[in-house]
Coordinates of all heavy atoms in Angstrom, one line a residue:
Chain C
L81 N -1.9 34.5 7.6 CA -0.7 33.9 8.1 C 0.1 34.8 9.0 O 0.2 36.0 8.7 CB 0.2 33.4 7.0 CG -0.2 32.1 6.3 CD1 0.5 31.9 5.0 CD2 0.0 30.9 7.2
E82 N 0.7 34.3 10.1 CA 1.5 35.0 11.0 C 2.9 34.3 11.0 O 3.0 33.1 10.6 CB 0.9 34.9 12.4 CG -0.4 35.6 12.5 CD -1.0 35.5 13.9 OE1 -0.4 34.9 14.8 OE2 -2.2 36.0 14.1
L83 N 3.9 35.1 11.4 CA 5.3 34.5 11.5 C 5.3 33.2 12.3 O 6.0 32.3 11.9 CB 6.3 35.5 12.0 CG 6.5 36.8 11.2 CD1 7.4 37.7 12.0 CD2 7.0 36.5 9.8
G84 N 4.5 33.2 13.4 CA 4.5 32.0 14.2 C 3.9 30.8 13.6 O 3.9 29.7 14.2
D85 N 3.3 30.9 12.5 CA 2.7 29.7 11.8 C 3.8 28.9 11.1 O 3.4 27.8 10.5 CB 1.6 30.2 10.8 CG 0.5 30.9 11.5 OD1 0.2 30.6 12.7 OD2 -0.2 31.7 10.9
S86 N 5.0 29.4 11.0 CA 6.1 28.7 10.4 C 6.3 27.4 11.1 O 6.5 27.4 12.3 CB 7.3 29.5 10.4 OG 7.2 30.6 9.5
A87 N 6.2 26.3 10.4 CA 6.2 25.0 11.1 C 6.2 23.9 10.1 O 6.0 24.1 8.9 CB 5.0 24.8 12.0
L88 N 6.4 22.7 10.6 CA 6.1 21.5 9.7 C 4.7 21.0 10.0 O 4.4 20.7 11.2 CB 7.1 20.4 10.1 CG 7.0 19.1 9.3 CD1 7.4 19.3 7.8 CD2 7.9 18.0 9.9
Y89 N 3.9 20.9 9.0 CA 2.5 20.4 9.2 C 2.4 19.0 8.7 O 2.7 18.7 7.6 CB 1.6 21.3 8.4 CG 1.5 22.7 9.1 CD1 2.3 23.7 8.7 CD2 0.5 22.9 10.1 CE1 2.3 24.9 9.4 CE2 0.5 24.2 10.7 CZ 1.3 25.2 10.4 OH 1.3 26.4 11.0
L90 N 2.0 18.2 9.7 CA 2.0 16.7 9.4 C 0.6 16.2 9.4 O -0.3 16.6 10.2 CB 2.7 16.0 10.6 CG 4.2 16.2 10.6 CD1 4.8 15.9 12.0 CD2 4.9 15.3 9.6
C91 N 0.4 15.3 8.5 CA -0.9 14.6 8.3 C -0.7 13.2 8.7 O 0.3 12.6 8.4 CB -1.4 14.8 6.9 SG -2.6 13.6 6.4
A92 N -1.7 12.6 9.4 CA -1.6 11.2 9.8 C -2.9 10.5 9.5 O -4.0 11.1 9.7 CB -1.3 11.1 11.3
S93 N -2.9 9.3 9.0 CA -4.1 8.6 8.7 C -4.2 7.4 9.5 O -3.3 6.8 10.0 CB -4.2 8.2 7.2 OG -3.5 7.1 6.9
S94 N -5.5 7.0 9.8 CA -5.8 5.9 10.6 C -7.0 5.2 10.0 O -7.9 5.8 9.4 CB -6.1 6.4 12.0 OG -6.6 5.4 12.8
A95 N -7.1 3.9 10.3 CA -8.2 3.1 9.8 C -9.5 3.6 10.5 O -10.6 3.3 10.1 CB -8.0 1.6 10.0
G96 N -9.3 4.2 11.7 CA -10.5 4.8 12.4 C -11.0 3.9 13.5 O -11.8 4.3 14.3
T97 N -10.6 2.7 13.5 CA -11.1 1.8 14.6 C -10.2 1.8 15.8 O -10.7 1.6 16.9 CB -11.1 0.3 14.1 OG1 -9.8 0.0 13.6 CG2 -12.1 0.2 12.9
G98 N -9.0 2.2 15.7 CA -8.1 2.3 16.8 C -7.4 3.6 16.7 O -7.9 4.6 16.0
V99 N -6.2 3.8 17.2 CA -5.5 5.0 17.1 C -4.1 4.9 16.5 O -3.3 5.7 16.6 CB -5.4 5.7 18.5 CG1 -6.7 6.2 19.0 CG2 -4.7 4.8 19.5
E100 N -3.9 3.7 15.8 CA -2.6 3.6 15.1 C -2.6 4.6 14.0 O -3.4 4.6 13.1 CB -2.5 2.2 14.5 CG -2.3 1.1 15.5 CD -3.6 0.4 15.9 OE1 -4.7 1.1 15.6 OE2 -3.6 -0.6 16.4
Q101 N -1.7 5.6 14.1 CA -1.7 6.7 13.1 C -0.4 6.6 12.3 O 0.7 6.4 12.9 CB -1.8 8.0 13.8 CG -3.2 8.2 14.4 CD -3.4 9.6 14.9 OE1 -2.6 10.5 14.7 NE2 -4.4 9.8 15.7
F102 N -0.5 6.8 11.0 CA 0.7 6.7 10.2 C 0.8 8.1 9.5 O -0.1 8.6 8.9 CB 0.5 5.6 9.1 CG 0.3 4.2 9.7 CD1 -1.0 3.8 10.0 CD2 1.4 3.5 10.1 CE1 -1.2 2.5 10.6 CE2 1.2 2.2 10.7 CZ -0.1 1.8 11.0
F103 N 2.0 8.6 9.7 CA 2.3 10.0 9.3 C 2.8 10.1 7.8 O 3.5 9.2 7.3 CB 3.3 10.6 10.2 CG 2.7 11.0 11.5 CD1 2.6 10.1 12.5 CD2 2.3 12.4 11.7 CE1 2.1 10.5 13.8 CE2 1.7 12.7 12.9 CZ 1.6 11.8 13.9
G104 N 2.5 11.2 7.2 CA 3.1 11.6 6.0 C 4.4 12.3 6.2 O 4.8 12.5 7.4
P105 N 5.1 12.7 5.1 CA 6.4 13.4 5.3 C 6.3 14.8 5.8 O 7.3 15.4 6.2 CB 7.0 13.3 3.9 CG 5.8 13.3 3.0 CD 4.7 12.5 3.7
G106 N 5.1 15.4 5.7 CA 4.9 16.8 6.1 C 5.0 17.8 5.1 O 5.6 17.6 4.0
T107 N 4.5 19.0 5.3 CA 4.7 20.2 4.5 C 5.4 21.2 5.4 O 4.9 21.6 6.4 CB 3.3 20.8 4.0 OG1 2.7 19.8 3.2 CG2 3.6 22.1 3.3
R108 N 6.5 21.7 4.9 CA 7.3 22.7 5.6 C 6.8 24.0 5.2 O 7.0 24.4 4.0 CB 8.8 22.5 5.3 CG 9.7 23.6 5.9 CD 9.8 23.6 7.4 NE 10.5 22.4 7.8 CZ 10.6 22.1 9.1 NH1 10.2 22.9 10.0 NH2 11.2 20.9 9.4
L109 N 6.2 24.8 6.1 CA 5.7 26.1 5.8 C 6.6 27.2 6.4 O 6.8 27.1 7.6 CB 4.2 26.3 6.3 CG 3.6 27.7 6.2 CD1 3.5 28.1 4.8 CD2 2.3 27.7 6.9
T110 N 7.0 28.1 5.6 CA 7.8 29.2 6.1 C 7.0 30.5 5.8 O 6.6 30.7 4.7 CB 9.2 29.3 5.4 OG1 9.9 28.1 5.7 CG2 10.0 30.4 6.0
V111 N 6.8 31.3 6.8 CA 6.1 32.6 6.7 C 7.1 33.7 6.9 O 7.8 33.8 7.9 CB 5.0 32.7 7.7 CG1 4.2 34.0 7.5 CG2 4.0 31.5 7.6
L112 N 7.2 34.5 5.9 CA 8.2 35.6 6.0 C 7.5 37.0 6.2 O 6.3 37.1 5.9 CB 9.0 35.7 4.6 CG 9.7 34.4 4.2 CD1 10.4 34.6 2.9 CD2 10.8 34.1 5.3

Side-chain angles (χ1 to χ4, degrees):
Chain C
L81 284 166
E82 300 178 359
L83 295 178
D85 297 333
S86 294
L88 181 67
Y89 289 88
L90 292 158
C91 161
S93 82
S94 169
T97 55
V99 292
E100 293 91 345
Q101 294 189 9
F102 300 92
F103 283 85
T107 294
R108 172 72 62 185
L109 172 65
T110 301
V111 182
L112 302 177

